[in-house]
Amino acid sequence: MCGIIGYVGHREAAPILFASLQKLEYRGYDSYGFATLHQRKIWIRKNKGKISEAGFEKLPGTIGIGHTRWATHGNVEKTNAHPHVDCEKHVAIVHNGIIENFEILKKRLKKDGHKFRSQTDSEIIAHLIENNIGAGVEEAVRRAMLVLGGRSAVVVISRDFDGIIAARTGSPLIVGVGENEYYIASDIPAFLNRTNKVMYLDDGQMVIIEKNKAPVFKDIKSNDIIKKRIITIDWDAEQIEKGKYKHYMIKEIMEQKETIIRALNQDSRAIKKVANEIDKAFGVFLTGCGTAGKVCLTGEYIFSNIANKHVNYVTSSEFPNYKNFLTKKTLLIAVSQSGETADVLEAVKVAKEKGVKVISITNVKGSTLDRMSDYTFLINAGPEKAVASTKATTAQLAILYLLAYSLAKNIDHGKRLLLETASKINDMLNPRYEEHIKKIAKRLHRKKDIFIIGRGFNYPMALESAIKIQEVSYIHAQGFAGGELKHGPIALIEKNTPCIVLTKGEDDHDIISNAMEVKARGGLVIGVGPKRYGVFDLWIKTPSVGVLSPIVNIIPIQLLAYHLGLFRGCEIDTPRNLAKSVTVK
Ligand code: M6R
C-alpha cells in the first residue's frame, strides 16, 4: 500500500525516481509525487491519477524522494498526494502507513500554529519534524517517529541535509546499495534493474544516508548505531518486466507452467522437520488474507484428507481474537505472497507474544514476515506484480501439499503427484485452451452476477474464484459451498444467471446435484473439471489430479477473470481501489 522511493547519488534523481516509481505502481496508483533537493531548496511536483511524465523532468538535483499513493485519509486530490512539507518547507516527506493517533497530534500541532495543506494523516510528520528542527534534522525525524502511533515508513529530505533520512515503524523499507549511490524503497523491484544488493531496515530503526558516505543505521528509541549486512537478492530485473505479454497477470498465469515445480524445490529435511512440528503441536493455525487466506482454508482440507490432521484457518485480521487459545505448544503457519500484509504481521506478532512458533510461506526473501518467522518456506515464484495473485496461489498450495504428504509419511508420493500435476498444467496452458476460455468470457462479460460453487477441496477455490473475478472484471461474483446454495443464495438464481461448478472428476455426485438445482431454476451451468457432466451448459476441462484439483481448477478461473476484465475494458494489473500489498490494517 503506497510505494516509496528515495535516491542519493551522483546522477540526476528525477528520472531515476520516475522509473522506480513506475515499478512500484502496483502498490497504489491514485496519485503520485516527487521532491528533489537542489542548492538547499526543495522542488516538488505532484499529480492525481497514474504516473505520467508531467513536470517530473524539470526537477533538479541528485537527491530526491517519490511516492505513489493508495488513499487512506483524505480524498484522491492533488493536495493529498505526497510529498508533504511543513509550514516553512524545511523538509519534504513521503509516508506509507496509518498514523493511528493523528487526530490528537494534528490538534496539538494546529494549536502550536502549524498550517495544514492536506487532509492526510501523513502531513503531520512534516510538522512534527519542523517542531524539533532546531535539534538538527536527524534528531527531529527521530523525535517525530517516537510519537507516531500505528505502522509507518517515512522518507525525508531536508534543505539542511545533503542526503535522505528514513525510518520504519511497521511498514517496509529496504536500502538498495549501488556504486556510490543508494536507493530506499518499499519494495525491491523499485531498484532491481540498478542493484540487487540490499540492506533491510527493521522495525524501530532509521537510516541516515548522507551523500558520499555509507548509510548509518540507528535504533529509533535508543539512538544506538546498528551494524547491517549487505544481502544479495537472486531475482533478476527481467523477471519484473512483462516481456512478450500485454499484462503481468497473463504472464504470471502462464508462468504456472514452471512455478509449481520451482515451489517444490525445498529442503526435504526442512519439510520433514516442520511436518514433525505440525504433528507435535497442540493446536495448529493457518493464517493469511484474501487469496492467501483461501489457500489457508484449502489447507484445512489438505491436512485433514491427506494427513488426518486437524488444522484451523483463521483470517489474519480476526486472528487476534483467538489469542486465548494460543500457548507455547501452538504452531502458526502464516501464508503471504508479499510477506508485508499488515493483518498477517499483526497475527504473527500476537502469536509470538504468546510464545507460538511461526512458520511462514512467502514469496519474498527478507520480507518482514520472513524475518519474523522461526522458519520460512520461500515459494520461489519470482516477483508477482499483478494485483491479482495467481502464480503465488498455486505455489503456496504446492507447499501445503508437500507438508501434508510429509506428515502422512508419504512425501515422495506427494512430490510425484505434484510433479505430474505440474506437467499436466504445462499441457493445459496452450493457446487453444485460452481461446476456449476467452469465448466463454465473451459470453459472460455483460452478466451482472456470477456464482461459483464447490465442495470439499474445491469450496475454498470457489471463494478464491470469486475474488479473481471481482477484482479483475468488477463483476459481482460470489463463491459458496455447493451445499449452502439451497439455504438462501439460490434465491438469486434467475434465467441464465451463470454458475460455475468446480468438480474433481470423482465423487462429484453431491456437487452435480447442486448444479442440477441451479439448472432447474434456469441458471447457466459452467462446469470446470475433468469430466463433462450432462448438466453442464458449458465446460472447461481440467486434468484429473484427485486431491490436487484445487491447483488445476483455479487456473482456468484466473484466465476467465483475465478475459472478462479485458472484454470489460478494466485495468487488469492495477484494478480500481486495490493495491498489491496491503500494509495497513
Ligand atoms: O501478499 P499477501 O499474499 O499477504 O496478500 C494478501 C491479499 O491482499 C491478496 O491475496 C489479495 O487478496 C489479492 N489481490 C488477491 O488476488
Side-chain angles (χ1 to χ4, degrees):
M1 214 126 270
C2 298
I4 291 181
I5 178 72
Y7 174 78
V8 179
H10 44 84
R11 291 183 279 170
E12 282 294 299
I16 294 174
L17 296 173
F18 178 75
S20 297
L21 211 55
Q22 277 187 318
K23 296 199 162 58
L24 283 184
E25 212 174 28
Y26 60 91
R27 295 183 66 92
Y29 31 84
D30 58 47
S31 52
Y32 65 96
F34 304 92
T36 58
L37 185 68
H38 184 59
Q39 295 176 339
R40 294 181 64 104
K41 189 174 171 245
I42 292 172
W43 305 68
I44 295 189
R45 291 279 181 289
K46 37 179 150 176
N47 243 324
K48 216 169 112 169
K50 290 195 169 193
I51 299 171
S52 79
E53 300 202 11
F56 87 96
E57 71 286 2
K58 298 195 187 86
L59 297 177
T62 56
I63 294 168
I65 54 179
H67 186 271
T68 177
R69 181 171 186 245
W70 186 86
T72 56
H73 296 60
N75 307 341
V76 179
E77 302 286 352
K78 189 171 164 183
T79 43
N80 289 332
H82 298 218
H84 292 289
V85 293
D86 57 304
C87 304
E88 298 296 329
K89 234 176 160 186
H90 292 101
V91 293
I93 67 107
V94 288
H95 171 234
N96 172 23
I98 288 191
I99 302 166
E100 283 169 4
N101 52 345
F102 100 99
E103 273 170 341
I104 304 172
L105 293 174
K106 190 166 178 176
K107 218 177 191 176
R108 247 186 253 156
L109 285 161
K110 273 186 165 173
K111 223 167 129 196
D112 290 349
H114 290 269
K115 296 273 176 294
F116 284 80
R117 300 173 177 92
S118 77
Q119 304 157 308
T120 64
D121 55 345
S122 309
E123 189 186 341
I124 67 156
I125 302 168
H127 296 280
L128 281 172
I129 296 172
E130 183 174 39
N131 256 7
N132 285 297
I133 203 77
V137 62
E138 178 191 325
E139 179 59 13
V141 172
R142 193 179 79 82
R143 289 187 197 170
M145 294 308 293
L146 286 173
V147 299
L148 296 186
R151 310 168 61 81
S152 290
V154 182
V155 183
V156 184
I157 56 171
S158 161
R159 63 186 194 208
D160 303 323
F161 180 70
D162 212 14
I164 275 177
I165 297 169
R168 162 178 184 168
T169 54
S171 302
L173 274 181
I174 303 138
V175 176
V177 182
E179 290 287 328
N180 202 22
E181 59 184 353
Y182 293 92
Y183 308 85
I184 185 148
S186 32
D187 217 344
I188 295 164
F191 52 69
L192 192 61
N193 60 340
R194 298 178 190 270
T195 180
N196 64 348
K197 306 227 173 334
V198 304
M199 294 164 102
Y200 288 99
L201 203 61
D202 286 313
D203 269 353
Q205 297 181 350
M206 59 193 285
V207 60
I208 299 100
I209 312 175
E210 193 171 349
K211 200 165 178 168
N212 299 321
K213 289 191 182 165
V216 178
F217 289 78
K218 286 189 171 181
D219 182 275
I220 297 173
K221 265 196 195 131
S222 67
N223 211 11
D224 290 342
I225 290 186
I226 300 161
K227 280 205 172 134
K228 289 276 172 182
R229 276 187 317 131
I230 296 181
I231 294 166
T232 305
I233 298 296
D234 57 8
W235 287 354
D236 64 56
E238 250 179 53
Q239 283 179 296
I240 56 166
E241 300 304 334
K242 283 196 278 249
K244 63 177 185 192
Y245 295 98
K246 203 164 159 216
H247 298 102
Y248 283 108
M249 184 179 179
I250 188 70
K251 173 181 180 246
E252 289 160 6
I253 292 173
M254 292 303 170
E255 279 176 353
Q256 290 173 108
K257 292 177 184 176
E258 303 106 41
T259 44
I260 293 163
I261 300 173
R262 288 216 300 268
L264 299 180
N265 192 9
Q266 301 294 333
D267 176 355
S268 302
R269 280 165 312 174
I271 292 279
K272 285 181 187 158
K273 196 163 167 247
V274 170
N276 191 37
E277 304 264 7
I278 296 173
D279 199 22
K280 278 191 336 220
F282 186 74
V284 179
F285 286 95
L286 281 159
T287 197
C289 302
T291 293
K294 305 305 171 274
V295 168
C296 294
L297 183 59
T298 318
E300 285 193 353
Y301 292 84
I302 294 175
F303 281 99
S304 158
N305 277 268
I306 295 169
N308 199 18
K309 177 79 187 173
H310 179 202
V311 303
N312 303 283
Y313 159 60
V314 180
T315 190
S316 302
S317 54
E318 291 300 317
F319 188 80
N321 295 309
Y322 287 67
K323 66 170 181 266
N324 293 344
F325 307 134
L326 306 176
T327 70
K328 288 197 171 75
K329 289 185 181 161
T330 314
L331 187 80
L332 176 68
I333 304 175
V335 182
S336 168
Q337 187 283 130
S338 62
E340 298 295 351
T341 300
D343 290 329
V344 178
L345 300 181
E346 184 64 22
V348 169
K349 187 169 152 246
V350 167
K352 284 183 82 91
E353 280 162 7
K354 291 285 206 153
V356 170
K357 193 170 246 185
V358 178
I359 307 297
S360 61
I361 299 178
T362 182
N363 197 21
V364 184
K365 184 177 167 188
S367 58
T368 310
L369 179 62
D370 173 23
R371 294 150 75 73
M372 285 172 90
S373 305
D374 294 287
Y375 189 81
T376 301
F377 292 107
L378 292 172
I379 61 170
N380 304 323
E384 191 182 67
K385 297 268 308 249
V387 164
S389 185
T390 53
K391 61 177 178 174
T393 313
T394 45
Q396 290 159 349
L397 283 169
I399 293 189
L400 290 181
Y401 278 107
L402 264 192
L403 285 170
Y405 275 110
S406 177
L407 187 53
K409 306 277 178 264
N410 224 347
I411 186 163
D412 292 336
H413 173 65
K415 255 193 194 158
R416 210 171 39 250
L417 288 181
L418 283 156
L419 284 171
E420 280 167 20
T421 303
S423 121
K424 288 175 180 170
I425 289 170
N426 190 25
D427 296 344
M428 178 175 92
L429 280 174
N430 60 53
R432 216 159 19 98
Y433 193 71
E434 193 184 345
E435 198 49 43
H436 173 60
I437 292 174
K438 194 172 160 184
K439 279 189 190 136
I440 295 180
K442 190 167 184 200
R443 188 150 167 198
L444 301 187
H445 78 280
R446 288 213 177 87
K447 298 283 183 191
K448 71 176 190 339
D449 311 291
I450 296 181
F451 297 100
I452 310 100
I453 56 172
R455 277 179 174 257
F457 286 95
N458 276 312
Y459 158 52
M461 287 301 109
L463 304 183
E464 166 54 12
S465 302
I467 297 186
K468 283 291 93 63
I469 296 171
Q470 291 158 1
E471 67 184 340
V472 187
S473 73
Y474 313 152
I475 296 177
H476 168 247
Q478 244 181 307
F480 296 100
E484 270 297 292
L485 216 60
K486 59 184 177 292
H487 296 289
I490 202 159
L492 300 170
I493 303 290
E494 296 171 0
K495 191 166 164 32
N496 284 327
T497 304
C499 180
I500 298 173
V501 181
L502 304 181
T503 62
K504 271 203 332 229
E506 56 194 62
D507 302 329
D508 282 333
H509 30 84
D510 287 342
I511 191 73
I512 293 305
S513 302
N514 302 138
M516 302 272 206
E517 290 153 14
V518 172
K519 180 96 170 223
R521 277 137 191 104
L524 177 79
V525 177
I526 302 134
V528 175
K531 275 193 197 158
R532 174 170 215 151
Y533 292 103
V535 64
F536 296 162
D537 296 302
L538 300 168
W539 178 46
I540 303 175
K541 190 175 180 189
T542 53
S544 172
V545 292
V547 293
L548 270 68
S549 73
I551 296 189
V552 295
N553 279 352
I554 197 59
I555 295 175
I557 306 294
Q558 296 168 348
L559 280 170
L560 181 70
Y562 175 72
H563 284 288
L564 285 170
L566 279 183
F567 279 120
R568 290 167 65 88
C570 299
E571 291 280 2
I572 302 287
D573 287 332
T574 48
R576 70 182 178 209
N577 305 341
L578 290 167
K580 182 67 179 162
S581 5
V582 184
T583 55
V584 293
K585 277 204 268 176

